[in-house]
Structures are given as C-alpha cells and as structure tokens.
Amino acid sequence: MLAKEMGVIFTRHAEQMTAKRWTEFIQQLENKGLYVVIETDTNGRVMSPFGGLMPMPCKDETLHILTEEELQQRGLPRGHHIITKPKAKHVTT
C-alpha cells in the first residue's frame, strides 16, 4: 500500500482511535526503537493529562518518527517529545 493510500485510511480510522489504542500503537513503535517527535509553532501551554505543561496543538505541526540515534543528534533523550520549532533567524545586511 502506498503512503498516500495509508494516509487516507489513517484519517478515517484516527477519529475512532481511543487513548488505549494510540498507546498500543506508540508502544509498537517503541518496541522497534522508534519515537514520535512533534514539532509545533505554538507557545501556548495546556496541562498534560499526567501533570505538567505541554504545547497546545496547532495546525502547523510536524510529526517525525526518529530512532534513538536521531534523537541524540537533536539533543533529545530517548522517548517521545513535543518541541517548539526553531524560529527562522533573519539575516540583516
């Protein structure tokens, strides 16, 4: 199946996914040494269901599936992360 086809299927199934089913899916990724990193533009914060603050969802999020090595290259410890996208630096002349 092509990625484009799987994208359509994911969209339809995502609405029916429970937190438990998402957890099982994420655990399958972990078992293969893969971790989800969400990059977001938002600075707003909401309470995590497990305590602490996390960025609010936004329309311009980027999802990455990374290996532990790729996480280390980004300066992140092993695990799943929600991070703020780096701001583009403007060069003045």
Side-chain angles (χ1 to χ4, degrees):
M1 186 177 295
L2 300 174
K4 198 177 229 182
E5 294 169 313
M6 187 57 83
V8 171
I9 291 170
F10 247 56
T11 302
R12 292 178 185 161
H13 287 277
E15 294 173 357
Q16 299 173 18
M17 292 283 282
T18 64
K20 180 182 178 193
R21 292 177 86 188
W22 278 116
T23 299
E24 291 167 352
F25 177 75
I26 298 296
Q27 286 173 332
Q28 288 179 46
L29 292 174
E30 288 177 3
N31 291 338
K32 296 183 182 301
L34 300 172
Y35 301 91
V36 177
V37 174
I38 301 172
E39 283 185 310
T40 180
D41 285 337
T42 184
N43 290 326
R45 304 277 186 240
V46 294
M47 288 299 293
S48 162
F50 302 104
L53 295 174
M54 61 183 203
M56 291 175 46
C58 74
K59 291 182 179 180
D60 193 24
E61 291 178 340
T62 305
L63 298 173
H64 301 279
I65 304 293
L66 304 176
T67 63
E68 187 173 351
E69 183 178 301
E70 291 169 322
L71 288 172
Q72 289 174 351
Q73 290 172 0
R74 290 176 176 236
L76 298 170
R78 185 178 71 199
H80 307 286
H81 299 276
I82 301 173
I83 60 174
T84 304
K85 290 181 182 179
K87 301 283 184 199
K89 294 182 181 179
H90 296 284
V91 178
T92 56
T93 57

